[in-house]
Amino acid sequence: MRHLNKGRKLNRTSAHRKALFKNMVLSLIRHGRIKTTDPKAKELRRVADRMVTLGKQGDLAARRRAFAFMQSHEAVKKLFEEIAPRFKDRHGGYTRVIKFGHRRGDAAMLSIIEFTGQEETTKAKKPRRRARKQTAQGEEKRAAAG
């Protein structure tokens, strides 16, 4: 039975998982959006939402708890002064996970995780092929050949 065993192990030790999520939360706060595998993005959602909740509390104890996890003064400052005030009227769901496609090397499912409420949304777009220019010479060559 899996009582009280929530969360994915991601084939890592607990210290490695903690370091992974610390680095991913830092990148998410710095850039606002990151691309990663789908299981990592879904687990990162839990950690990032907790950090935003600390930012919404806004007191010194919450600031110290956020710093204890992230170990970056710049990230804590950005979290408390820029990111958390955007979500003052929202009760959870501060991040969204968007399916992005498959990674080319190992076909792992990729996702984009970003904070909600951003103006531009990311959609997976396939590169379009450029149409050939229709020129008079090209049409003459095709007519002569065919």
Side-chain angles (χ1 to χ4, degrees):
M1 289 185 265
R2 294 195 70 236
H3 297 295
L4 299 175
N5 293 325
K6 74 170 125 172
R8 294 171 178 86
K9 289 188 178 181
L10 300 173
N11 204 20
R12 288 165 168 80
T13 62
S14 60
H16 190 179
R17 265 194 314 276
K18 184 177 177 183
L20 172 79
F21 290 130
K22 171 187 158 185
N23 289 326
M24 290 177 77
V25 166
L26 282 172
S27 296
L28 183 63
I29 288 173
R30 286 184 182 139
H31 303 292
R33 165 185 306 148
I34 57 174
K35 184 168 74 169
T36 183
T37 60
D38 197 41
K40 285 182 196 172
K42 288 179 180 179
E43 281 300 307
L44 178 63
R45 214 176 14 193
R46 297 172 59 216
V47 180
D49 285 356
R50 283 192 194 126
M51 290 296 118
V52 175
T53 303
L54 287 175
K56 284 175 60 175
Q57 290 174 5
D59 58 348
L60 181 62
R63 194 175 285 264
R64 286 178 175 167
R65 285 179 61 198
F67 179 75
F69 182 77
M70 292 190 287
Q71 298 287 311
S72 170
H73 290 292
E74 303 86 39
V76 171
K77 183 176 180 180
K78 185 172 181 180
L79 174 68
F80 278 73
E81 294 178 3
E82 296 176 25
I83 296 171
R86 290 194 323 213
F87 301 113
K88 65 179 182 222
D89 298 328
R90 192 178 189 117
H91 302 291
Y94 310 118
T95 54
R96 79 167 59 100
V97 175
I98 302 166
K99 306 273 189 192
F100 189 69
H102 296 280
R103 187 161 49 199
R104 196 159 178 202
D106 61 354
M109 188 67 190
L110 293 178
S111 291
I112 293 176
I113 183 167
E114 64 184 6
F115 289 112
T116 57
Q118 292 183 344
E119 291 76 29
E120 70 273 357
T121 58
T122 306
K123 294 184 180 177
K125 294 182 180 179
K126 291 184 180 178
R128 289 195 279 166
R129 298 177 78 191
R130 293 190 319 183
R132 291 186 179 187
K133 293 182 180 178
Q134 298 294 330
T135 60
Q137 293 175 350
E139 290 175 11
E140 290 173 5
K141 287 180 182 177
R142 275 189 235 119

